[in-house]
């Protein structure tokens, strides 16, 4: 899942970026509203964590403009303590959830997972497709018939995206956009390499190749 983190507080930005990457998100960052507005309008994010108090352009304005431009990425806003007005305004402007500063990273991660699952129609506690269950905490995959397999960071991100979108044709471009951050070398051959590795781990037939369309995850 690709995530845009918008936060002007340098220390918080740095620690959150590391923790979100650790949790398997491809993270891009913006430190002011103008940069956030631009990235949100031009890149394909699944979700944004958006601080409301930002230089140049406030977070509320950024969110309002994203929605006006038809951008439907999930948005979790970070609001100041004791400012109930900010929460109300944020939700009215199209935020999907909010967190009040200061917060524990665990809560942020849990809320992001819940938002993403709901968006993808996954209402269970775990991400499951047929007999496969993705253990998001330990970044491994479990089979109902027994056994678990560990995944590398990229394998985990790719499999999670597949499992959030079962049965849909996913182009290599789309996979790259949602699995890698902006700084990554976006060579589409890399997707082929990682798909091959995933197939070795979970079984060849679970990921179907569609000529000219990309891949379909069968589970
Ligand atoms: Ca701020």
């Amino acid at each position: 899942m690709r995530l845009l983190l918008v936060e002007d507080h340098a220390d918080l930005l740095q620690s959150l970026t590391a923790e979100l990457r650790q949790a398997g998100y491809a993270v891009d960052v913006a430190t002011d509203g103008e940069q956030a507005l631009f990235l949100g309008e031009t890149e394909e994010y699944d979700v944004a964590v958006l601080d409301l108090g930002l230089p140049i352009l406030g977070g509320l304005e950024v969110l309002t403009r994203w929605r006006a431009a038809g951008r439907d990425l999930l948005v979790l806003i970070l609001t100041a303590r004791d400012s109930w007005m900010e929460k109300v305004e944020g939700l009215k402007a199209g935020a999907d959830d909010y967190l009040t500063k200061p917060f524990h990273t665990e809560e942020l991660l849990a809320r992001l997972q819940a938002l993403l699952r709901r968006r993808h129609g996954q209402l269970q506690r775990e991400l499951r497709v047929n007999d496969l269950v993705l253990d998001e905490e330990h970044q491994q995959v479990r089979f109902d018939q027994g056994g678990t397999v560990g995944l590398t960071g990229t394998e985990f991100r790719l499999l999670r995206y597949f499992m959030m979108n079962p049965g849909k044709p996913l182009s290599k471009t789309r996979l790259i956009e949602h699995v890698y951050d902006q700084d990554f070398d976006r060579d589409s051959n890399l997707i082929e390499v990682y798909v091959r590795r995933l197939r070795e781990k979970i079984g060849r037939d679970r990921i179907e190749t569609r000529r000219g369309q990309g891949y379909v995850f069968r589970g």
Side-chain angles (χ1 to χ4, degrees):
M1 296 288 130
R2 198 147 164 236
L3 183 148
L4 176 62
L5 174 59
V6 188
E7 171 59 63
D8 59 317
H9 189 291
D11 291 346
L12 185 58
L13 181 76
Q14 199 180 10
S15 62
L16 273 182
T17 303
E19 287 167 311
L20 288 164
R21 285 193 174 138
Q22 185 75 30
Y25 292 94
V27 181
D28 290 344
V29 298
T31 52
D32 66 59
E34 199 172 52
Q35 212 182 358
L37 181 67
F38 175 75
L39 284 173
E41 285 185 344
T42 52
E43 298 286 327
E44 296 300 323
Y45 296 106
D46 298 288
V47 60
V49 176
L50 176 66
D51 183 31
L52 291 189
L54 293 172
I56 305 179
L57 198 64
L60 205 58
E61 183 64 24
V62 172
L63 175 56
T64 304
R65 292 213 210 163
W66 279 345
R67 294 309 190 216
R71 306 302 281 176
D72 72 342
L73 70 168
L74 291 163
V75 176
L76 185 149
I77 52 173
L78 302 177
T79 67
R81 190 201 267 286
D82 296 334
S83 179
W84 64 270
M85 275 295 288
E86 273 192 359
K87 289 170 204 160
V88 173
E89 284 169 1
L91 292 169
K92 280 187 179 166
D96 299 280
D97 200 358
Y98 64 83
L99 256 185
T100 304
K101 286 180 173 180
F103 55 85
H104 291 283
T105 308
E106 287 75 11
E107 185 176 1
L108 174 64
L109 294 176
R111 285 179 182 272
L112 290 174
Q113 279 189 6
L115 283 177
L116 285 162
R117 273 198 215 123
R118 224 176 298 143
R119 156 119 346 159
H120 291 272
Q122 286 271 352
L123 302 176
Q124 299 131 317
R125 201 176 58 82
E126 296 177 310
L127 183 52
R128 164 186 286 276
V129 178
N130 300 327
D131 63 325
L132 278 190
V133 176
L134 192 66
D135 178 342
E136 295 182 71
E137 195 181 336
H138 301 104
Q139 304 200 355
Q140 58 189 17
V141 65
R142 198 172 71 233
F143 303 89
D144 278 349
Q145 61 271 32
T148 55
V149 178
L151 301 166
T152 64
T154 305
E155 289 166 358
F156 171 74
R157 294 202 298 269
L158 185 60
L159 183 58
R160 181 165 58 176
Y161 197 73
F162 273 133
M163 289 179 72
M164 291 264 190
N165 297 282
K168 292 183 202 160
L170 300 172
S171 68
K172 284 183 203 167
T173 310
R174 178 161 166 191
L175 289 169
I176 288 169
E177 278 172 353
H178 288 271
V179 172
Y180 294 119
D181 60 46
Q182 223 186 359
D183 299 331
F184 203 88
D185 171 22
R186 296 187 177 187
D187 179 349
S188 67
N189 292 324
L190 277 176
I191 290 290
E192 289 173 29
V193 172
Y194 284 109
V195 166
R196 190 160 65 231
R197 288 191 196 162
L198 267 186
R199 279 173 169 157
E200 283 165 11
K201 290 191 171 181
I202 63 171
R204 201 179 155 73
D205 297 340
R206 292 182 191 272
I207 305 171
E208 182 189 316
T209 303
R210 287 255 182 105
R211 191 177 285 265
Q213 285 189 308
Y215 301 101
V216 178
F217 186 72
R218 291 286 168 212

